[in-house]
Amino acid sequence: MVEQIVFYVFAAIAILSGVYVVASQNLVRSVFMFFVTLLSVAGLYVFALADFVALTQIVIYVGGVLVMLLFVFMLSSKDSLDNIVNLKKEALSANRIPATIITIALLVILIYAILLVDFEQLDWIKSNKLLIDKAQTSNVHNIGVNIMGRFLLPFELISILLMMTLVSAAHLARKEPNND
Amino acid sequence: MISLQHFLFIAAVLFCLGIYAVITRKNAIQVLIGIELMINASILNLVAFAKYDVINNNGQLFALFVIVLAAASVAVGLVIILNFFKRVKTIDPNKANSLRG
């Protein structure tokens, strides 16, 4: 019972702060509200028995991605912030009515599709439900074994990809020597 | 025990919010935030299904890979936004029309 209450509180925080992120006219507020969304989504991961993914989400998203977003925001938006203050509210975001129609249509389709399936009757879910209660140990050990076993090739590939990202980001962000 | 459908509903709502942000915002950083919201919704789906995959944990491993790939794409995207700002002095994606035929 307590578990369900906490779950729905996290879900409400995630959805409401997501709405605020999307609908807010204030850019800085929406970036900071995105912190709240990410943290509450990380809380939802814990309820899906994924504590390691939740910690990774907090470390990488909240610690890395959002700080980077704020960094670029502060670097780039001195002029654009001044422009935005002068703009009217309607001019800040376009295509509102078509976007609302598309969004609501997609939401209805998704919810209809989810309601169509009875997940409790699927075979693999039924057979694995018995195992959940037995698996008391943390799954961090299991994740480590799997990464170093079956997922070794993607793991190594992702390290190469991160290296490529580092090099390309540093290359793209440098000052051009000819212009100076 | 929270049923799988509630996770999927929350993920669907977050995904639609992300799409709304991508369509309506006139600020490249907020468009990027919308993309991040959509990626988070898909990670939530992966993790919710992985709840019933106790032995292999495939869903959680995929979620970890998706988080790393999202971080990498955000790094490159932000650098592109910075370069765009250096050239055009704005971060409105509608102004990026110099490649228009």
Side-chain angles (χ1 to χ4, degrees):
Chain A
M1 192 59 201
V2 177
E3 184 191 356
Q4 291 190 338
I5 292 173
V6 177
F7 176 81
Y8 291 119
V9 167
F10 270 123
I13 293 174
I15 289 174
L16 289 178
S17 60
V19 169
Y20 191 88
V21 167
V22 168
S24 168
Q25 302 291 346
N26 190 325
L27 305 175
V28 186
R29 272 174 202 271
S30 82
V31 171
F32 274 108
M33 211 59 179
F34 194 52
F35 274 90
V36 179
T37 311
L38 289 178
L39 283 174
S40 52
V41 170
L44 293 179
Y45 294 166
V46 176
F47 283 94
L49 305 179
D51 40 1
F52 186 66
V53 180
L55 279 179
T56 314
Q57 160 108 349
I58 290 174
V59 170
I60 291 184
Y61 265 104
V62 182
V65 169
L66 273 180
V67 171
M68 218 153 49
L69 273 176
L70 279 176
F71 178 70
V72 170
F73 183 71
M74 301 301 172
L75 266 186
S76 70
S77 59
K78 174 74 181 65
D79 296 334
S80 55
L81 259 189
D82 295 342
N83 288 338
I84 284 163
V85 170
N86 296 330
L87 278 177
K88 288 190 208 81
K89 273 197 172 178
E90 294 81 30
L92 192 60
S93 58
N95 309 326
R96 219 170 243 186
I97 296 165
T100 313
I101 294 171
I102 290 173
T103 308
I104 290 177
L106 184 69
L107 187 65
V108 168
I109 289 172
L110 281 176
I111 285 181
Y112 176 70
I114 293 169
L115 285 176
L116 218 55
V117 184
D118 190 5
F119 291 102
E120 306 294 322
Q121 299 303 321
L122 294 178
D123 283 340
W124 65 279
I125 285 182
K126 248 198 266 180
S127 62
N128 275 313
K129 239 182 184 175
L130 305 171
L131 291 172
I132 292 179
D133 299 330
K134 287 181 193 168
Q136 289 296 330
T137 54
S138 161
N139 55 10
V140 178
H141 173 77
N142 206 351
I143 286 174
V145 169
N146 274 321
I147 277 186
M148 279 300 152
R150 292 180 303 133
F151 284 83
L152 189 56
L153 180 65
F155 185 66
E156 297 294 337
L157 283 180
I158 225 169
S159 67
I160 295 174
L161 182 104
L162 281 179
M163 187 72 190
M164 283 161 56
T165 310
L166 181 69
V167 172
S168 64
H171 177 75
L172 281 173
R174 84 200 188 289
K175 277 188 182 165
E176 310 214 354
N178 300 334
N179 292 349
D180 291 337
Chain B
M1 200 71 178
I2 293 138
S3 76
L4 186 52
Q5 286 184 334
H6 294 182
F7 283 104
L8 300 187
F9 286 145
I10 295 164
V13 173
L14 285 180
F15 191 88
C16 291
L17 286 174
I19 280 192
Y20 184 81
V22 169
I23 296 175
T24 56
R25 294 287 105 175
K26 289 178 101 178
N27 181 321
I29 293 176
Q30 277 188 314
V31 172
L32 209 58
I33 287 179
I35 294 172
E36 291 302 305
L37 262 179
M38 291 198 281
I39 291 175
N40 255 290
S42 54
I43 296 172
L44 185 56
N45 267 357
L46 284 172
V47 164
F49 278 106
K51 188 180 181 182
Y52 298 99
D53 190 11
V54 188
I55 299 170
N56 284 331
N57 275 325
N58 281 335
Q60 293 192 18
L61 287 165
F62 266 92
L64 290 174
F65 285 127
V66 171
I67 288 176
V68 174
L69 288 179
S73 68
V74 165
V76 176
L78 285 176
V79 169
I80 289 172
I81 290 175
L82 265 185
N83 257 337
F84 178 61
F85 177 74
K86 243 191 269 171
R87 284 171 202 273
V88 198
K89 296 292 166 207
T90 174
I91 49 176
D92 184 355
N94 292 328
K95 297 278 175 7
N97 52 6
S98 59
L99 276 181
R100 194 163 51 186

